[in-house]
Amino acid sequence: MKEDIERIVALYPPERRFALAAMQDMQRQFNYIPAEGLDALSAAMGIPIAQLYSMATFYRALSLKPKGRHIIKICDGTACHISGSEVLAAALHDAIGIRPGEVTEDGAFSLETVNCLGSCAVAPVMLIDDTHFGGVTPDRLAAIIEEVGAK
Amino acid sequence: MSTHTIRVCCGTGCIANGSRGVAAALREAAARAGAPAVSVETQVKATGCHGFCAKGPVVAVDPDGISYYQVKESDAEEIVASLGGAPVERLLFRREDGTFARGEADNPFYEGQVKIALRNVGKIDPLSLGDYRARGGYEALEKALAMAPEDIIAEVEKSGLRGRGGAGFPTGTKWRSCAACEETQRYVVCNGDEGDPGAFMDGYIMEGDPHSVIEGLAICALAVGAEEGFFYIRDEYLVALDHMARALADAEAAGILGDSVLGSGRRLRFEIVRGGGAFVCGESTALMASIEGRVGEPRAKYIRSVQKGLWDKPTVLNNVETLATVPVILKEGYEAVQELGVGRSRGTKTFAMVGKVKNGGLVEVPMGTTIRQLVFGNGGGIAGGRPFKSIQTGGPSGGCLPESLLDLPVDYESLDANGTMVGSGGMIVMDDRNCMVDVAKYYVGFLAQESCGKCTPCREGLRHMHAILTGICEGKGTEADIERLEELGFTLKEASLCALGKTAANPVLSTLRYFKEEYLSHIQDGFCPAGVCRALVVFGIDAEKCKACGLCAGSCPASCISGEGKQPYEIDAARCTACGNCRKACHFEAIHPEKRMAV
Ligand SMILES: Cc1cc2nc3c(=O)[nH]c(=O)nc-3n(C[C@H](O)[C@H](O)[C@H](O)COP(=O)(O)O)c2cc1C
Ligand code: SF4
Ligand code: FES
Ligand code: FES
């Protein structure tokens, strides 16, 4: 982990404006921002830890807690909301036993809701890692989860 | 020998329907058919959105003018085999009267559309600079380089172009104030944050025609005398981010950007900043704070950002669609935009029309087009033939309009006067199975979550409004709640710092204005007529209409529907969770909401 953190920090000039980008890279690499990452960034860019912490908690793209190996995002944007995204969230709870914000015990999945994935015309929409699924029904959901979980 | 180009939509909408697989299958099929015996040359292009996203994956064939919908990988062979001959009929769009539309030209979805901002989206390979240039791309930039900044600004002013990102501020005026500043270190910024849930035009322009946005920002920079610029792009937009980054790199490599723009000696450097996933960061001052590497909180605007923006330097911030329109104004003259539209709303606007509309997608129409034309003309009416109930425009700062206003023209002034706004261009169509109190609660909940918390009316007011609306949806509301909502709405409008808070009450105020009876049903009768608020509803089966097909029983997760043989089915109200699956499953309108009785 230490090496990855150093590599990410070294990608950017030591200026405040790159802090968000560096934290996003860490988020992508580790699925969360480790405390060591904040320390390293603070030292390299000369930004107080408290300020980095406030950014890490302000921006939705960042999290301080580890997430699952696969990240499921259920869209709860307006179009998806009125097309039954809540029913999907309930069906997912039945299937893998977690609610938005939680991680499965085996660390395989974490579940989040997001405010629009940009495929609104085929609502309700779900994103697993980098793959979009449109027009998801509770029936199809089970098959999708099984397929991804097997990987 | 005939040559055909197959354009496969690989916009985010179609990707979610599996279009990348379709593109691969078509490429393979074309390669296989490419044996000398076949006299067709085929090129398969992955393009941006064709507009008709609801029927994706969409595949078009040039120069034949054919469009296919809901194409599967297994259709690839047949499409390639048909090239040059009759189209594959079963994949064409079937019009209301049962006849087939050959392509966009005779498909009602495209009727009355005029594509300015979307001129290349769906037509070109967004990753090909050659494709963009072949359609006149970067000619406007060349022209701008030979013009005095003052003349560029005058042309944009004359076009009447106003910001497409929400506020509708005249673009030329904004540029002029920035160009007039004393400080010469200036910046330009493109707002690609598109946080409005249910709107996707900016994302689709960036992924489908990234160079048009780059060209727009470059022209803006020349006009206001900036050398550096930023694209602030929403982090969830994976394809848009990727395409913008590659287009920027290509433009630099081709000498279009960099130390000598098209050999002029002028310098332009653009950078991409990934958004952090906060709605409020779409607000201009919060966005700038975010670029500077701080928490994205808005600031008070006694000093405008055209004078003191990024790092306290004069800064112009424009929306993606605004910028994508700019090259057309320069290349074709201000008339191209000015001659379209109504009143003070000139040109076209792109709308993301989704929800319960039958043919949803991305439409670009002249300002002043009526809502009826959009929903019932282009959109083909409501899915499943259900009744239209409302259309929500303008996103979380907008409002819901009722059926009686279907003939309202869509322009900045008309929507404003009726309690909503054009906003970024989201349009969510709702039918009789959508509860307007639930919709208001949804938006307020969204905004309460997204409020940056800097000022009290917004932070506390929204939380309070959400609690009241939740109470109403759970049958705990009183008539005094309506007054309280109005009062809180007023306070938010008057006392909030930024437009998020100032406009946050619009969804509530507009639904109270047009759908008050629905609030009263919840409050007085303890019933949600749309069948959405689960605490107030159970579903019942109309024995007259039930055909005993059993579809409902199969769809019920609570297994509370029973029935046998030809007898009408029954729902055990005590166990019904009101999820509504059965109502969706029933083909005979036999299932309806009933009041949930207290136990
Ligand atoms: C809470 C909030 C969110 C906003 N989000 C966006 C957005 O996602 N995209 C956008 O272009 N403008 C957004 N705006 C409007 C911008 O503040 C700004 O008016 C606009 O980007 C200016 O560009 P334009 O004049 O070309 O429209 C938002 C405003 C507010 C108050
Ligand atoms: S109105 Fe809301 S979002 Fe805007 S500054 Fe105040 S608290 Fe933040
Ligand atoms: S609202 Fe769900 S993808 Fe846009
Ligand atoms: S994304 Fe394919 S038609 Fe819109």
Side-chain angles (χ1 to χ4, degrees), chain A residues 121, chain B residues 9-15 19 48-54 56-58 110 200 204 207 361-362:
Chain B
C9 176
C10 287
T12 303
C14 286
I15 288 175
S19 68
C49 175
H50 293 210
F52 204 173
C53 319
V58 181
Y110 293 94
F200 49 85
Y204 282 17
E207 64 182 42
L362 206 55

Side-chain angles (χ1 to χ4, degrees), chain B residues 163-165 174 191 194-195 279 282-284 317-319 322 499-500:
Chain B
R164 304 296 192 227
K174 191 188 275 186
N191 188 346
E194 194 155 66
F279 173 68
E283 194 274 345
S284 50
L317 173 86
N318 273 128
N319 162 266
T322 314
L500 186 150

